[in-house]
């Protein structure tokens, strides 16, 4: 069981989380610049104003990608860097930055994957109603066109929206992310409808204006129901939960995926949301359901479930002491098996894991290295499960680790480190973590080391082989145990 020959290995970032330079060369303000000034909104009052200073250091960062051996890099474009007012005049310097970045990547042999929107919405457009404004899909389409016309002679892979559940759910429903609104459900769903339309309009623009044949998708997210056993009853229970809409909020898969994949909102959601559901036309639903080349999935977490005694799917809590990442997320590797499988079997689309990774308690050790053994273990376990999805018959094309480097983790500021590369924010010094070198080995061997690699790069192979022998049975158990 192995990954397809042409499988692509990459890492991902987003503009506001790494670029800094928020006031340089004509960039306009985003809702995140504004939100970060709100007292108590972000941990310790931090912001992305400097972040990883990637705007100035992008060439060095591309060199790090090359050193790791990345084949692809997924980054996002800051909409207000390109269009400071969100629409209208283009900021040539801002667009020029991405132009240079793409050239650097190609020179280094790293394939660029562009995300058009990763949450840094132009403040000027927010002041005109933001996602609630019926013009917002057109604004996004116009912005898409500017970027596509500039970069599509070299960029083939496009992702429209990153995690719509989050920028609507956290940004407009619970208010813990920018712009910090707590809208009633009917308004959140209206904003969500416009975001879905924006996705569809953007795909149309990509197809109409790309200079080379584009590959376009998007990148929703969500927790994955994990069947407790391989029994048909538990697997179907998990599948039902994956597609269910059970709460009056936007935290589910179906409300986002079914319009895009099938041109319809889920019946269950329409019933549950009732009068809060948006009005829509058949034409709008057709716009949303543009054909995609791949389905991006950002997957971190799963919860266990089974077919209950009453015949209904039920959650099964993790046991006391279940492993958690630094930010308290349950380590749940089978999410990378079942998430792609449930999404593919209904959509028929190829899957790209557009994000996966963990926050670790990482620091530079006495010897100058960052020994993030937990991240290696996490990635190895998740990637084995992804390989299992491939063995199950799911066409998985690519995997992007989140993240290339430690960065601004939104409302959590800088306290959680997701990077393969450690960033010392005081000096901007980068240090490749052990996981970066290990991931390089995964890439170099096309995943062959996943079942066998027993430690960080540089360990003696004999020792590794001894460990492997001893650990082989244990590994099998782990893979089967469901978490
Ligand atoms: O840092 C975020 C990213 O911006 C979106 N997906 C989840 C990551 C970790 O929280």
């Amino acid at each position: 069981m192995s990954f397809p020959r042409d499988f692509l290995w990459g890492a991902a970032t987003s503009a506001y989380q790494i670029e800094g330079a928020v006031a340089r060369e004509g960039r306009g303000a985003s809702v995140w610049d504004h939100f970060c000034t709100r007292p108590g909104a972000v941990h310790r009052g931090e912001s992305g104003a400097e972040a990883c200073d990637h705007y100035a250091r992008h060439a060095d960062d591309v060199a790090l990608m090359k050193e790791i051996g990345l084949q692809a890099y997924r980054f996002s474009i800051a909409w207000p860097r390109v269009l400071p007012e969100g629409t209208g005049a283009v900021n040539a310097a801002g667009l020029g930055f991405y132009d240079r970045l793409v050239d650097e990547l190609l020179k280094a042999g790293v394939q660029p994957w562009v995300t058009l929107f990763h949450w840094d919405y132009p403040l000027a457009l927010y002041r005109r109603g933001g996602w609630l404004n019926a013009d917002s899909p057109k604004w996004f389409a116009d912005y898409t066109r500017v970027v596509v016309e500039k970069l599509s002679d070299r960029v083939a892979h496009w992702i429209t929206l990153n995690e719509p559940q989050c920028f609507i759910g956290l940004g407009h429903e619970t208010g813990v992310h920018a712009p910090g609104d707590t809208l009633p459900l009917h308004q959140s769903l209206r904003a969500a409808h416009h975001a879905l339309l924006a996705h569809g309009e953007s795909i149309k623009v990509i197809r109409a204006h790309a200079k080379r044949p584009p590959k376009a998708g998007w990148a929703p997210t969500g927790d994955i129901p994990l069947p407790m056993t391989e029994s048909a009853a538990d697997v179907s229970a998990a599948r039902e939960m994956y597609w269910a809409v059970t709460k009056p909020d936007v935290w589910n898969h179906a409300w986002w995926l079914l319009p895009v994949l099938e041109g319809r909102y889920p019946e269950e959601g329409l019933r549950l949301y009732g009068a809060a559901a948006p009005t829509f036309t058949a034409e709008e639903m057709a716009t949303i359901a543009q054909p995609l080349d791949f389905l991006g999935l950002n997957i971190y977490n799963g919860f266990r479930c089974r077919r209950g005694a009453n015949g209904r799917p039920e959650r099964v809590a993790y046991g006391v002491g279940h492993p958690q990442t630094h930010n308290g997320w349950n380590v749940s590797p089978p999410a990378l098996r079942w998430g792609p499988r449930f999404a593919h079997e209904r959509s028929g689309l190829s899957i790209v894991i557009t994000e996966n990774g963990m926050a670790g308690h990482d620091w530079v050790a006495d010897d100058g290295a960052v020994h993030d053994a937990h991240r290696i273990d996490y990635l190895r376990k998740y990637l084995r499960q992804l390989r299992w999805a491939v063995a199950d018959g799911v066409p998985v094309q690519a995997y992007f680790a989140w993240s290339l480097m430690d960065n601004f983790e939104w409302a959590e500021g800088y306290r959680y480190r997701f990077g393969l590369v450690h960033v010392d924010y005081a000096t901007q010094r980068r240090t490749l973590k052990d996981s970066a070198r290990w991931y390089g080995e995964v890439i170099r061997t096309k995943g062959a080391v996943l079942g066998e690699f027993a430690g960080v790069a540089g360990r003696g192979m004999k020792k590794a082989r001894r460990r492997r022998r001893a650990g082989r049975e244990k590994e099998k158990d782990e893979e089967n145990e469901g978490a």
Side-chain angles (χ1 to χ4, degrees), residues 21-28 55 80-81 84 91-97 100:
V22 291
R24 275 192 54 194
E25 297 186 320
R27 176 186 178 277
Y55 193 75
R81 202 181 279 294
N91 174 29
L95 198 50
F97 166 69
R100 291 195 300 281

Side-chain angles (χ1 to χ4, degrees), residues 13-14 17 74 118-119 162-163 166 221 298 300 327 329 355 402-403 407-410 418:
T13 61
S14 88
Q17 293 180 273
R74 173 183 173 229
H118 197 129
W119 308 358
N162 187 71
E163 297 184 354
C166 294
T221 189
N298 290 2
Y300 294 86
N327 61 341
W329 291 354
E355 285 183 26
W402 183 270
S403 176
N407 58 48
F408 177 70
E409 178 57 12
W410 307 110
F418 279 83

Side-chain angles (χ1 to χ4, degrees), residues 81-101:
R81 202 181 279 294
V82 172
L83 295 165
E85 296 297 311
T87 56
V90 174
N91 174 29
L95 198 50
F97 166 69
Y98 300 106
D99 196 45
R100 291 195 300 281
L101 176 59

Side-chain angles (χ1 to χ4, degrees), residues 123-243:
L123 187 61
L125 292 184
Y126 173 67
R127 292 193 166 135
R128 292 167 64 186
W131 289 116
L132 281 171
N133 190 317
D135 287 338
S136 54
K138 174 160 174 15
W139 296 336
F140 189 62
D142 291 348
Y143 153 67
T144 300
R145 182 161 177 183
V146 172
V147 177
V148 165
E149 282 184 344
K150 183 73 176 177
L151 302 182
S152 66
D153 54 337
R154 288 151 291 152
V155 171
H157 293 89
W158 300 92
I159 291 156
T160 56
L161 307 178
N162 187 71
E163 297 184 354
Q165 288 94 339
C166 294
F167 69 79
I168 297 297
L170 300 174
H172 294 76
E173 210 174 61
T174 60
V176 300
H177 276 191
D181 288 339
T182 49
L183 301 176
L185 184 62
H186 73 278
Q187 286 191 338
S188 300
L189 293 174
R190 167 83 9 224
H193 186 64
H194 292 152
L196 284 165
L197 279 167
H199 156 79
E201 296 289 3
S202 176
I203 295 278
K204 284 202 224 168
V205 169
I206 293 167
R207 299 223 186 280
H209 297 281
K211 294 177 185 150
R212 54 184 288 196
K215 301 278 179 213
W218 74 326
T221 189
D223 288 1
I224 310 298
L226 310 173
M228 284 292 286
T229 71
E230 300 277 318
S231 73
D234 284 353
V235 171
S236 67
R239 183 180 291 113
E240 274 166 51
M241 283 187 129
Y242 186 87
W243 293 107

Side-chain angles (χ1 to χ4, degrees), residues 63-121:
L64 290 176
M65 296 176 212
K66 192 171 175 186
E67 187 177 342
I68 296 170
L70 294 186
Q71 297 170 335
Y73 174 53
R74 173 183 173 229
F75 62 97
S76 79
I77 309 268
W79 183 350
R81 202 181 279 294
V82 172
L83 295 165
E85 296 297 311
T87 56
V90 174
N91 174 29
L95 198 50
F97 166 69
Y98 300 106
D99 196 45
R100 291 195 300 281
L101 176 59
V102 166
D103 283 343
E104 291 283 351
L105 287 166
L106 292 172
K107 211 164 61 193
V110 180
Q111 198 178 92
W113 284 52
V114 168
T115 303
L116 288 158
F117 181 66
H118 197 129
W119 308 358
D120 39 4
Y121 196 83

